[in-house]
Amino acid sequence: MSLRKLCYLMLGFLGLGLGALGAVLPLLPAFPFLLVAAYGFGKSSDRLDRWFKGTRLYRENLADLAAGRGMTRRAKIRIMVTVTLLMAVAFAAMHAVAVGRIVLAFVWVGHVLYFLFGVKTLPEVSAPARESAPSGDPS
């Protein structure tokens, strides 16, 4: 295995670990770390890419968005609340840095606008229906 693939592999496992923690810890967002894991595994190994895309964590958090379909309202709200809380902590910590607060405010507004208008909202699907639904993967 080349050094480049090894680095992507480590990036994938790091993203997976942090994403798994984010799925259970309320202040740690799972979504961006799972995107990092998908990218890392996709670049490191076809086998790991297939495995990761078959995990429940991926199917419930990223599969619909990665397929271009969108996200459920619940997933969008969970992501927006988590990011808002984290940015509020950073905003409070930057009480003496006006430029930092302004940048954070713009990033937060852009984030909210993206999830409200840039990502299609899917209807909620019950867990048994989601597991029996086709994944869109022809293999």
Side-chain angles (χ1 to χ4, degrees):
M1 179 179 281
S2 71
L3 181 60
R4 175 181 238 163
K5 286 192 175 203
L6 184 61
C7 288
Y8 282 125
L9 181 66
M10 290 186 325
L11 181 68
F13 278 114
L14 177 66
L16 178 63
L18 291 172
L21 282 174
V24 295
L25 295 175
L27 288 180
L28 185 66
F31 184 76
F33 295 119
L34 295 176
L35 282 175
V36 168
Y39 179 78
F41 288 146
K43 291 285 191 175
S44 69
S45 159
D46 290 337
R47 185 174 155 199
L48 276 174
D49 186 46
R50 283 191 307 273
W51 167 80
F52 179 66
K53 289 180 178 175
T55 63
R56 183 175 154 219
L57 199 58
Y58 177 85
R59 289 190 320 263
E60 289 181 1
N61 291 287
L62 289 178
D64 288 329
L65 184 65
R69 291 188 291 266
M71 298 177 84
T72 63
R73 182 177 313 280
R74 180 176 291 157
K76 288 169 112 178
I77 289 171
R78 185 178 64 232
I79 290 168
M80 286 192 289
V81 166
T82 302
V83 168
T84 298
L85 290 173
L86 290 171
M87 289 187 128
V89 169
F91 192 84
M94 288 191 190
H95 59 83
V97 185
V99 173
R101 286 182 151 197
I102 292 168
V103 169
L104 271 177
F106 275 106
V107 169
W108 179 79
V109 168
H111 169 76
V112 169
L113 290 175
Y114 173 73
F115 276 97
L116 288 176
F117 303 110
V119 177
K120 182 180 174 187
T121 303
L122 300 175
E124 296 290 333
V125 178
S126 65
R130 183 181 298 132
E131 290 172 4
S132 65
S135 66
D137 186 12
S139 55

